[in-house]
């Protein structure tokens, strides 16, 4: 049987458990589209262990520097395990989820020369409560025409 083992998905399973989703069938249905190709019984057994465990079994959260690295990388360059761990972190921190979207869409504008999208990107950044990105947006806004030209012209 190919595909990653349950170990690769345990951080995601632990996060879902901690969110109150203790239904193994539901969580199994969530991880199958993410690449889990093994049996539902393994997920059920893992959740049974958690139910019978005297202490709470959880995955250790990754350090902020590691999470920043995952956010700054292109999605397709992350291993499946790292993608799942990042997804689990983003579930708990909506502001990081918003930040990830903005951080990943800016290089796309650059590499695909889509400078015309800059005003919408700036508006989207301003709508989120992300002070550090607001500072960046203000700096870009001061030289908006030059930045749009830089994102558009070869």
């Amino acid at each position: 049987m190919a595909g990653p083992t349950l170990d690769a998905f345990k951080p995601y399973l632990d996060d879902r458990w901690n969110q109150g989703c203790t239904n193994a069938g539901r969580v199994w249905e969530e991880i199958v589209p993410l690449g889990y190709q093994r049996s539902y019984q393994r997920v059920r057994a893992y959740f049974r262990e958690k139910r019978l465990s005297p202490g709470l079994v959880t995955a250790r959260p990754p350090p902020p520097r590691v999470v920043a690295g995952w956010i700054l990388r292109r999605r397709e360059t992350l291993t499946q395990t790292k993608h799942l761990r990042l997804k689990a972190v983003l579930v708990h921190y909506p502001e990081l989820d918003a930040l990830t979207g903005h951080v990943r869409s800016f290089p796309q504008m650059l590499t695909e020369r889509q400078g015309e999208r800059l005003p919408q990107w700036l508006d989207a950044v301003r709508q989120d409560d992300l002070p550090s990105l607001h500072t960046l947006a203000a700096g870009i806004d001061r030289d908006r025409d030059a930045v749009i030209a830089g994102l558009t012209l070869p």
Side-chain angles (χ1 to χ4, degrees):
M1 190 163 280
T5 65
L6 188 63
D7 288 341
F9 294 89
K10 283 183 179 177
Y12 182 83
L13 298 177
D14 291 343
D15 279 339
R16 293 296 285 134
W17 177 272
N18 292 336
Q19 292 166 11
C21 182
T22 59
N23 182 321
R26 178 179 296 148
V27 176
W28 177 76
E29 289 173 353
E30 291 175 10
I31 64 175
V32 167
L34 299 174
Y36 182 71
Q37 299 172 0
R38 302 196 184 216
S39 73
Y40 156 73
Q41 283 74 20
R42 292 176 193 229
V43 176
R44 190 179 73 193
Y46 183 67
F47 273 28
R48 187 179 325 111
E49 271 181 50
K50 291 177 87 53
R51 276 188 193 90
L52 299 175
S53 172
L56 188 59
V57 179
T58 60
R60 169 179 265 163
R65 186 176 186 170
V66 170
V67 174
W70 295 340
I71 290 171
L72 292 172
R73 285 193 188 94
R74 289 186 303 168
R75 196 173 295 129
E76 62 271 11
T77 65
L78 290 176
T79 65
Q80 183 145 18
T81 302
K82 289 177 183 173
H83 175 72
L84 287 170
R85 294 204 62 204
L86 175 59
K87 189 173 180 174
V89 169
L90 297 180
V91 164
H92 291 294
Y93 299 98
E95 67 279 4
L96 277 182
D97 194 23
L99 175 75
T100 300
H102 298 311
V103 166
R104 287 184 171 168
S105 64
F106 193 86
Q108 183 181 4
M109 281 191 293
L110 176 65
T111 58
E112 296 176 11
R113 294 194 177 135
Q114 298 174 338
E116 70 278 358
R117 288 183 40 217
L118 183 66
Q120 292 90 357
W121 185 86
L122 290 169
D123 289 343
V125 165
R126 286 188 191 101
Q127 288 175 12
D128 289 323
D129 186 22
L130 301 166
S132 58
L133 274 188
H134 290 179
T135 303
L136 173 66
I140 289 173
D141 227 2
R142 282 192 292 275
D143 293 320
R144 181 186 285 231
D145 292 338
V147 176
I148 289 174
L151 291 172
T152 307
L153 302 172

